[in-house]
Amino acid sequence: MIKDYFLNKIENAIKDAIAAGKLGEMKEYKAGTLNTERPKNSDFGDFAINVSSLARFARMAPPQIANAIIEFVDKEDNEYNVIGGFINFKTGEKLLKETVQEIFQKDKNFGKPENVKTEKIILEYVSANPTGPFHIGHGRWAAMGSVLANLLKFYGHDVYQEFYINDAGSQIQKLGNSLKIRIQQELGEDVDFPTDEVERKNYYPGDYLIPVAKKYLETHKGLPDDIQELCDFAKEYEEKVQRDLLEKFRVHFDNFYSELTLHKSGKVDECVQKLKNSGKIYQKDGADWFKSSDFGDDQDRVIKKADGSNTYLTADIAYHIDKLERGFDRMINIWGADHHGYVARVKASIEALGDNPDKLEILLGQLVNLVVNGNEVRMGKRKNMVTLEDLIDEVGVDATRFWMSMRNIDTTLDFDIELAKTNSDENPVFYVQYAHARACSILRNAVEEKLDTETGAKIPAPITKDELDELINSYKPETIVPTIDTAKKLILKLEEYKSMIKNSAETRQVYTICRYVQELAGEFHSFYNANRVISEDKDLMKSRLALVIAVKKVLNNALDLLAVTAPERM
RNA sequence: GUGCUUGUAGCUCAGUUGGAUAGAGCGUUUCCCUCCGAAGGAAAAGGCCGUGCGUUCGAAUCGCAUCAAGCACGCCA
C-alpha cells in the first residue's frame, strides 16, 4: 500500500537521522508512533505524516524535525515537502504504474491482504425463530452477515456461516396453537384468536398461517389427535419459507443448527453439569443459578428453572460451547441491539468453563426503521408488518442488499422504501451500477465499427478486438503513461481499495465497502467527463481504455463482495 | 433508576487509532452534450460537530457532567 510505503520511508529516514545525531535528544524510534493521514488540502500532497508527536522526544520544534527527517529520505520519483510539522507526499509515476499493473496481474485477488493472521471463524447471524416470515430487521443481519462472510473469506479467513434455529420452546407451541385455529377456520368452524390482549400473546394472529392451513388440509382430512403434529408441520413449513428467501437474497449458510437437536443430544444437560462442576452454580428458590456476576455480568442468571426445565440461556451457552468444541478460533455473532443484555452472560459462561471469552465477538446491530412518505413506521412484529420478502419484491435484491449494508452497524438504519424504489437517481446502488455499465459501454464502443450517418460509409472500429484483448491479457506498465497525469486521483482511489479491504475486514464494518464503491464510481464519472477515452491518438486511447478496464475490475470485485450485480448495460 | 447505542449542513450520513481551512450525497442556485450512456460532470451557497466543564502544544474524536432519541433490564424465547 502506498501509504505504508510512505510511512516506511519516513520511519527509515528517522532511524538514519537519529544515527546521524540530527534529531536532538531523540535516541530511538518506536514503531507505531507515526501514522499516515489524508491532507486536508489535496494540493499539499496525497498523503501526510505529522511529526509533531516526536517533538517531546527530540526537544525540537516540529518543522525542524520534519526538515531533518526529509534529508534522509530515499525519495525515488516521489515528491516530499514540509509544511509546519507535516511531511507531505506526492505519489510519483512509478507507484501509479505499479498500481494499475497490480490490478491487471492480480485481477480477482487485487486487494487481498498479505502476511496477515488468519483464523478459523464461525459467523452466526439471522438465527430467527421458525415461526413466521422474516421482517425487515432480519434483512439487515442477512445482508451484513453475508457481506462480512465474503469479506472475511477474501481476507484469508476460513469462514463457516451458521444459522441457529430457535426451534425449541414455547413459541413452537404458540405456532401450533395458531395453526390449529387457522385450520379450524378453513374447516368452517366459528373460531378466532382471543381478543383479550394477554390471551392473544399466546398466538401468532398474522395472516401468514392461512396458506399453511390450506397446505395442511391438502394432505390431511382434519385436525390431528396430537397438537405436536401441527407444531412440526408449521415449523417445517416456515423453515422452508425462510431458507428459500435467504437463497433468493443471495445469503448462503453452511449449516442450519437446530436448538432442538442440542437438547435431544444431551448437550444442554452436559453443559449444566459442566457449569456445576465449575462451582459457579448455586440453588435459590428451587432453581439453579449461574453466578455470572463473578465474570462481569450485572446479576446472576437462572440456568435451570424450579420446574426442572432449562432456560433459553442454558441452551445458548451449550451452543457456544459446542462451537468451541468444533474447533473454531473465533466466534462472530451478529445480534440485534435488543439482545445486548445477553453479551455479558454468554461471555461469562465461556470464562466460567475455562475458555477465553474474547474468542466470542458480538456485533450488535441497531434496528431498522421503515420510512414511508417521510414518516417512521413502527415495526409491529406480528401485525401489519412489512416482510423482508415484500421489501425485496418492491425494490429488488440489489437495492435491498446495498441499503441494508451501507450504514455503520452502530446506527439505526432508516430504510426509505419510497426512495429506494421510486427515485432511482437518489439511490446509491444505481449510481455505482451505472458507473460499471458505463465502463462496459465504452469498451463495447471501442471495438465497434460504425456507419457514417451522411455517407453511409463504414467507419472502422477505433481499436480491434485483438488489440483490446492484447491490452487486457498482456498489460504493460508503460501503457498507462500517456494519461497518468489526468488519471492520478482515479488511480489513487483504485489503490485505496487495498487499505479499505484490510480496514473493513479488521473492524468488521462492511459499510465501508459501500462507501468506497460510491467514491470510486464518483472518481470514474469525473474522469469520464474530463477525458475522452476513445480518440485518434491511439496510445492515449489505449492508456485510458486500460484505466477503464481497471475500474471495471475493481468495481466488479467490490460488488462481488456485496453480492450486488454489476450490470453490463442498464 | 441502571446499562448499551446514537446526537456533525435543510435531509441522509462520512470523518481511518487526538492534527492543517470539519467532508460527501440528496435538496437549492448557476453552468457543461454536433462527440464514448446527461441515470453523468463542474461550481456556489449552507456548520456553536446536542450543551457545559476538563485532559494538552492541539479535541467532532479522550474523561466527567448534562439534555435528547432508540433499545434492553423475566424462572419468555
Side-chain angles (χ1 to χ4, degrees):
Chain A
M1 280 173 254
I2 293 178
K3 63 180 208 170
D4 291 341
Y5 166 93
F6 172 44
L7 180 61
N8 193 261
K9 288 282 182 196
I10 295 298
E11 288 183 333
N12 286 337
I14 290 172
K15 284 169 193 160
D16 292 344
I18 290 172
K22 300 283 187 185
L23 280 182
E25 295 178 23
M26 192 160 170
K27 289 285 176 288
E28 61 163 351
Y29 171 78
K30 250 172 57 185
T33 312
L34 298 178
N35 60 337
T36 56
E37 52 194 82
R38 297 301 282 275
K40 290 292 175 204
N41 185 336
S42 57
D43 291 342
F44 294 159
D46 305 321
F47 300 95
I49 288 176
N50 186 334
V51 298
S52 302
S53 55
L54 302 181
R56 61 199 165 101
F57 303 114
R59 294 190 169 277
M60 288 164 63
Q64 283 179 288
I65 296 173
N67 280 310
I69 292 169
I70 210 168
E71 291 301 313
F72 290 87
V73 173
D74 172 16
K75 299 186 182 61
E76 300 191 22
D77 73 337
N78 306 298
E79 265 181 58
Y80 292 74
N81 68 74
V82 170
I83 303 173
F86 288 90
I87 299 175
N88 295 301
F89 175 88
K90 283 189 184 170
T91 314
E93 199 173 286
K94 180 164 171 282
L95 288 173
L96 296 174
K97 281 198 297 199
E98 284 172 2
T99 296
V100 180
Q101 186 186 22
E102 198 183 343
I103 294 169
F104 275 85
Q105 271 179 354
K106 297 195 175 164
D107 199 20
K108 287 279 167 203
N109 282 324
F110 176 69
K112 187 188 276 294
E114 287 163 9
N115 304 318
V116 287
K117 183 172 172 274
T118 58
E119 296 177 310
K120 197 178 169 204
I121 296 174
I122 180 166
L123 175 63
E124 181 211 330
Y125 58 104
V126 186
S127 296
N129 294 334
T131 55
F134 290 133
H135 57 254
I136 287 182
H138 290 122
R140 188 174 192 188
W141 319 141
M144 291 191 115
S146 59
V147 176
L148 183 59
N150 294 341
L151 175 65
L152 293 176
K153 278 182 194 172
F154 182 68
Y155 187 89
H157 294 301
D158 181 0
V159 182
Y160 189 78
Q161 301 175 71
E162 193 159 276
F163 182 118
Y164 182 59
I165 311 169
N166 291 136
D167 57 357
S170 59
Q171 80 276 15
I172 298 300
Q173 301 305 315
K174 274 168 69 172
L175 183 68
N177 291 334
S178 306
L179 178 60
K180 183 181 171 191
I181 288 182
R182 288 303 186 193
I183 290 173
Q184 288 174 309
Q185 288 176 335
E186 285 300 313
L187 293 171
E189 293 179 37
D190 183 22
V191 290
D192 206 344
F193 298 103
T195 46
D196 177 75
E197 270 191 41
V198 179
E199 279 289 305
R200 202 177 170 88
K201 283 193 175 150
N202 293 319
Y203 294 90
Y204 296 116
D207 294 343
Y208 64 89
L209 286 175
I210 295 173
V212 188
K214 289 188 203 287
K215 181 91 181 167
Y216 182 83
L217 289 173
E218 280 175 17
T219 47
H220 301 75
K221 289 233 175 314
L223 288 172
D225 299 331
D226 189 355
I227 185 82
Q228 188 60 40
E229 195 183 307
L230 290 184
C231 295
D232 292 344
F233 186 87
K235 189 178 78 180
E236 279 169 27
Y237 185 97
E238 294 303 334
E239 274 186 38
K240 172 103 173 46
V241 168
Q242 290 186 349
R243 289 185 197 197
D244 288 348
L245 183 59
L246 288 170
E247 202 60 35
K248 181 175 169 184
F249 199 43
R250 303 174 196 147
V251 178
H252 310 289
F253 285 98
D254 295 300
N255 190 30
F256 289 82
Y257 195 111
S258 154
E259 180 188 350
L260 206 57
T261 63
L262 197 60
H263 290 276
K264 284 184 178 163
S265 67
K267 283 190 171 157
V268 179
D269 292 332
E270 242 175 69
C271 179
V272 172
Q273 196 52 49
K274 279 185 200 162
L275 281 167
K276 281 183 176 166
N277 294 344
S278 77
K280 294 295 175 186
I281 300 291
Y282 63 91
Q283 285 220 318
K284 195 177 90 179
D285 305 329
D288 287 349
W289 293 70
F290 168 41
K291 210 163 172 9
S292 55
S293 60
D294 279 3
F295 305 97
D297 195 3
D298 305 337
Q299 54 180 26
D300 298 338
R301 309 291 170 180
V302 170
I303 217 78
K304 199 182 246 314
K305 301 182 223 170
D307 67 7
S309 63
N310 295 312
T311 61
Y312 173 77
L313 173 66
T314 318
D316 216 18
I317 292 173
Y319 175 48
H320 284 88
I321 297 308
D322 179 64
K323 285 184 188 174
L324 286 169
E325 284 171 353
R326 281 188 273 162
F328 293 103
D329 305 318
R330 185 169 295 277
M331 306 176 279
I332 301 178
N333 295 3
I334 299 179
W335 282 358
D338 52 340
H339 288 84
H340 81 258
Y342 266 78
V343 175
R345 60 194 82 166
V346 176
K347 281 186 175 245
S349 70
I350 293 171
E351 195 173 354
L353 292 175
D355 213 320
N356 180 3
D358 292 338
K359 284 184 182 174
L360 176 61
E361 206 178 291
I362 294 175
L363 309 179
L364 290 172
Q366 297 297 314
L367 306 175
V368 179
N369 281 324
L370 191 63
V371 177
V372 177
N373 299 325
N375 297 312
E376 278 183 21
V377 177
R378 283 195 62 81
M379 299 289 299
K381 201 171 181 185
R382 297 294 161 199
K383 271 180 77 181
N384 301 327
M385 70 176 174
V386 177
T387 66
L388 178 60
E389 185 151 31
D390 292 340
L391 183 70
I392 292 172
D393 288 345
E394 283 205 60
V395 309
V397 172
D398 284 341
T400 307
R401 286 190 63 94
F402 198 93
W403 276 70
M404 288 297 189
S405 311
M406 69 189 273
R407 295 286 177 237
N408 187 320
I409 195 167
D410 285 337
T411 65
T412 47
L413 175 71
D414 285 333
F415 201 113
D416 191 326
I417 197 165
E418 299 298 320
L419 205 77
K421 89 178 170 192
T422 62
N423 203 342
S424 58
D425 68 318
E426 285 180 33
N427 196 334
V429 68
F430 287 110
Y431 180 78
V432 173
Q433 290 182 317
Y434 178 60
H436 184 268
R438 178 177 253 179
C440 293
S441 169
I442 295 169
L443 296 175
R444 278 195 303 270
N445 281 315
V447 292
E448 217 166 67
E449 67 176 19
K450 291 211 171 112
L451 291 178
D452 190 306
T453 45
E454 285 175 17
T455 63
K458 280 187 179 175
I459 304 170
I463 185 172
T464 67
K465 187 84 177 59
D466 288 344
E467 284 174 305
L468 186 65
D469 284 347
E470 195 199 338
L471 182 63
I472 294 171
N473 296 326
S474 50
Y475 174 82
K476 294 178 187 61
E478 293 70 33
T479 308
I480 201 74
V481 171
T483 199
I484 207 154
D485 289 337
T486 47
K488 187 175 176 190
K489 274 185 81 178
L490 182 53
I491 296 173
L492 285 172
K493 186 54 77 178
L494 289 167
E495 205 272 343
E496 195 183 318
Y497 184 71
K498 296 192 279 185
S499 49
M500 182 280 292
I501 288 294
K502 189 161 187 287
N503 185 263
S504 186
E506 287 172 0
T507 60
R508 327 290 194 211
Q509 285 279 22
V510 298
Y511 76 93
T512 51
I513 303 172
C514 297
R515 284 188 59 76
Y516 172 80
V517 94
Q518 291 176 72
E519 288 167 7
L520 177 58
E523 288 295 346
F524 177 62
H525 288 310
S526 293
F527 177 81
Y528 171 89
N529 271 275
N531 305 285
R532 200 177 156 74
V533 176
I534 295 171
S535 65
E536 298 292 320
D537 182 340
K538 206 154 194 177
D539 285 341
L540 185 63
M541 173 166 66
K542 278 190 178 177
S543 70
R544 291 188 174 153
L545 282 173
L547 201 57
V548 171
I549 293 163
V551 169
K552 180 174 176 287
K553 281 180 191 291
V554 175
L555 274 179
N556 247 310
N557 291 355
L559 288 173
D560 271 355
L561 292 176
L562 297 172
V564 169
T565 56
E568 304 260 321
R569 13 169 86 89
M570 293 173 75

